[in-house]
Amino acid sequence: MKTGRILQCIAYALVAALPFSGAKAAEWKPTSDVEFVIPYGLGGGADLLARVIIKIMTEEKLVPVNVTAVNKPGGGASVGVAYVLTTKNANPNTLVLFNPQTQITPLTVKDARGWRDLTPVANLMLDDYLLFVGKDSPYKTAADLVKDAKTKPPKTISVGSAGTADDMSIAVFESAAGIKLNVVRFNSGGEALTALLGGHVNLASGNPLEFMGQMNAGQVRAIGVFRPTRFADLPNVPTMKEQGIDVVPFQMWRGVAL
């Protein structure tokens, strides 16, 4: 099934689920324009996914009102969640895109707002991770990176991260490889990608959704896949395990809450 069709099915399912279940779902309609809050910056995986869903909801006329994307990045998603709780609490016309950051941040930051303050509606997808470098990077594979990192002091090589979930993927890689990278944090995958393209970081860890456009354009290269098997659409990118790096598979889930 094509990606567009999958997302269309997701959008239909999402609208059918809001804000009730069963017969009430078919009866309920938004009573005002819908605000789709994205607690992350522009250009990242969460932002791209939310905007695709909004596009489908609008073009397919799944809702009789306007749906507007509102980015509220910062604080590992806690800024966006706090905005919803302060201004839109209990408003069924407000959606929130959430992912592991809304789960992890409250565990590591005292009083941070997260998924427990929301009502989860649907888990839409699971994104696998890849490690990316710029087109002119000397690293052809993740094994090349690991070999070079072991000849240098810890944290010499920098890696861009869009938040706590990306941090976890990097930690999984570091643990398996026996190296320590310098993690540089950004508000979104889009910012991390920009830093990679500008040569401000040596690597970036992220999802295909965030980097595919630049990868197809030849501006970045994937040097390793975190999942146990290669991507069908990226048959030339080896898995970490194929390169002797025994990573624990780690995925980014993305869902919608009220």
Side-chain angles (χ1 to χ4, degrees):
M1 185 182 288
K2 297 294 185 181
T3 302
R5 180 59 180 159
I6 293 172
L7 289 172
Q8 187 177 44
C9 291
I10 288 171
Y12 274 110
L14 175 60
V15 173
L18 299 180
F20 307 107
S21 61
K24 288 185 178 180
E27 299 169 6
W28 188 83
K29 300 278 193 231
T31 55
S32 67
D33 288 351
V34 172
E35 189 169 299
F36 203 140
V37 178
I38 309 165
Y40 315 98
L42 292 168
D47 180 64
L48 293 172
L49 176 62
R51 291 177 188 276
V52 169
I53 293 172
I54 291 170
K55 184 172 184 288
I56 293 170
M57 291 170 69
T58 302
E59 291 183 352
E60 297 293 326
K61 297 180 172 56
L62 301 182
V63 291
V65 297
N66 294 321
V67 183
T68 304
V70 179
N71 292 83
K72 294 289 182 180
S78 62
V79 170
V81 175
Y83 162 77
V84 172
L85 296 175
T86 302
T87 65
K88 303 289 182 178
N89 196 25
N91 183 342
N93 301 295
T94 302
L95 303 178
V96 187
L97 198 80
F98 73 150
N99 63 24
Q101 292 192 125
T102 56
Q103 184 176 12
I104 299 166
T105 299
L107 298 176
T108 57
V109 180
K110 185 179 179 181
D111 297 327
R113 296 304 188 99
W115 71 275
R116 286 191 176 90
D117 302 295
L118 303 169
T119 300
V121 173
N123 186 23
L124 303 182
M125 64 189 299
L126 292 171
D127 261 352
D128 289 283
Y129 272 81
L130 296 95
L131 202 61
F132 296 91
V133 296
K135 65 177 182 178
D136 298 322
S137 172
Y139 306 129
K140 304 302 181 186
T141 66
D144 290 343
L145 160 67
V146 172
K147 182 178 179 180
D148 185 47
K150 289 184 175 180
T151 68
K152 298 176 178 178
K155 298 188 176 183
T156 299
I157 298 171
S158 59
V159 55
S161 166
T164 46
D166 290 358
D167 285 358
M168 289 183 70
S169 72
I170 294 166
V172 164
F173 176 74
E174 290 176 326
S175 177
I179 61 174
K180 197 66 178 175
L181 301 171
N182 177 28
V183 181
V184 183
R185 293 176 178 84
F186 300 93
N187 282 325
S188 72
E191 290 185 12
L193 172 59
T194 299
L196 180 63
L197 292 172
H200 304 297
V201 293
N202 303 114
L203 320 162
S205 180
N207 314 119
L209 184 65
E210 299 169 313
F211 289 82
M212 191 62 76
Q214 296 296 333
M215 192 159 60
N216 289 339
Q219 296 302 304
V220 301
R221 292 185 285 108
I223 60 173
V225 178
F226 280 68
R227 55 186 266 159
T229 58
R230 297 189 185 196
F231 282 102
D233 291 340
L234 300 172
N236 296 324
V237 183
T239 67
M240 295 297 183
K241 287 192 175 182
E242 288 179 285
Q243 302 180 62
I245 307 167
D246 192 17
V247 300
V248 176
F250 179 75
Q251 294 175 309
M252 162 83 80
W253 55 264
R254 303 184 192 276
V256 173
L258 292 168

